[in-house]
Amino acid sequence: MHDDTARIDAFFSEAKTWPEELRALRAILLDCGLTEEFKWRGPCYTYDGGNVAVIWGFKENAALGFFKGVLLKDPEGLLVAPGDNSRAVRMFRFNGLSQIEAMETTIRSYVREAIELEKAGAKVDLPKDDIVYPEELLAALEEDPELHEAFEALTPGRKRGYALHFAQPKQSSTRVSRIEKSRDRILAGKGLQER
């Protein structure tokens, strides 16, 4: 835990984008009774070991993300998906400290609802087979039993991330190259963005 504290302190003291906004969001999350841990190169806010929220400082805004955001009621439609392929996470985007201050009551109500979802053991129902693997990946898995076994052992989210990454290029040769470059990472059981 001590190592987490040092890394979290460094995250906030070294934040180059939206430092005041990130500190304000941190204060709200901690005041709501969440535990602060260091995961995925930044602070993550948990309840009884379950991931509830995360904060990011992007170039264009500061963001507060909810891991099970699709389950939140969001009556005003304030939450957005971080990307086109995001299935569960939803987030608030902020362009200034005054915006966070003006929305503090709303933010707290969303955090409380997210905590209640975690307490209740709510799960996001994700379709199992909604990603089509590119032909090049299917061929690589068929030709390389070690790769096939390692790929199948990945979590559904990691498999999805790789499948989307491999399918993106228009040219088959680029798809093959991406698969080859990712082989060692897959064999190590790591996701696309993991070190």
Side-chain angles (χ1 to χ4, degrees), residues 2-67:
H2 179 267
D3 187 37
D4 270 5
T5 304
R7 292 190 297 177
I8 290 168
D9 289 345
F11 175 90
F12 286 103
S13 66
E14 297 168 10
K16 302 273 188 274
T17 56
W18 310 99
E20 291 178 11
E21 291 77 5
L22 294 176
R23 283 192 287 273
L25 291 169
R26 177 192 200 191
I28 292 168
L29 293 166
L30 291 175
D31 191 53
C32 287
L34 293 173
T35 300
E36 190 174 52
E37 299 179 34
F38 194 86
K39 298 181 180 184
W40 309 292
R41 299 187 295 239
C44 177
Y45 298 86
T46 63
Y47 181 84
D48 197 24
N51 297 328
V52 173
V54 64
I55 56 177
W56 297 290
F58 296 120
K59 229 184 286 185
E60 50 296 328
N61 53 53
L64 166 60
F66 294 97
F67 287 94

Side-chain angles (χ1 to χ4, degrees), residues 71-188:
L71 300 179
L72 295 172
K73 291 183 184 86
D74 193 24
E76 297 174 51
L78 301 172
L79 296 174
V80 297
D84 294 339
N85 296 308
S86 300
R87 301 193 303 168
V89 174
R90 294 296 179 266
M91 67 182 191
F92 285 121
R93 289 187 173 136
F94 303 102
N95 293 308
L97 191 57
S98 61
Q99 189 182 14
I100 293 169
E101 291 167 349
M103 287 183 62
E104 184 171 348
T105 302
T106 301
I107 294 167
R108 286 178 180 274
S109 72
Y110 279 68
V111 172
R112 280 192 298 275
E113 185 184 349
I115 291 170
E116 290 306 313
L117 287 169
E118 196 58 38
K119 282 182 185 177
K123 300 269 186 243
V124 177
D125 185 25
L126 300 173
K128 299 287 183 227
D129 299 314
D130 67 334
I131 288 290
V132 177
Y133 291 174
E135 289 177 29
E136 294 82 1
L137 176 58
L138 294 173
L141 296 176
E142 192 174 312
E143 293 166 12
D144 185 341
E146 186 181 14
L147 180 65
H148 186 266
E149 185 179 334
F151 190 81
E152 289 305 316
L154 293 173
T155 62
R158 287 180 176 133
K159 284 195 258 193
R160 178 180 173 81
Y162 280 118
L164 291 168
H165 177 66
F166 298 153
Q168 200 174 31
K170 290 183 178 21
Q171 292 189 354
S172 178
S173 60
T174 308
R175 291 193 291 270
V176 168
S177 174
R178 283 190 176 187
I179 293 165
E180 289 170 356
K181 287 178 182 172
S182 299
R183 186 177 188 276
D184 289 344
R185 187 175 296 276
I186 293 168
L187 292 178

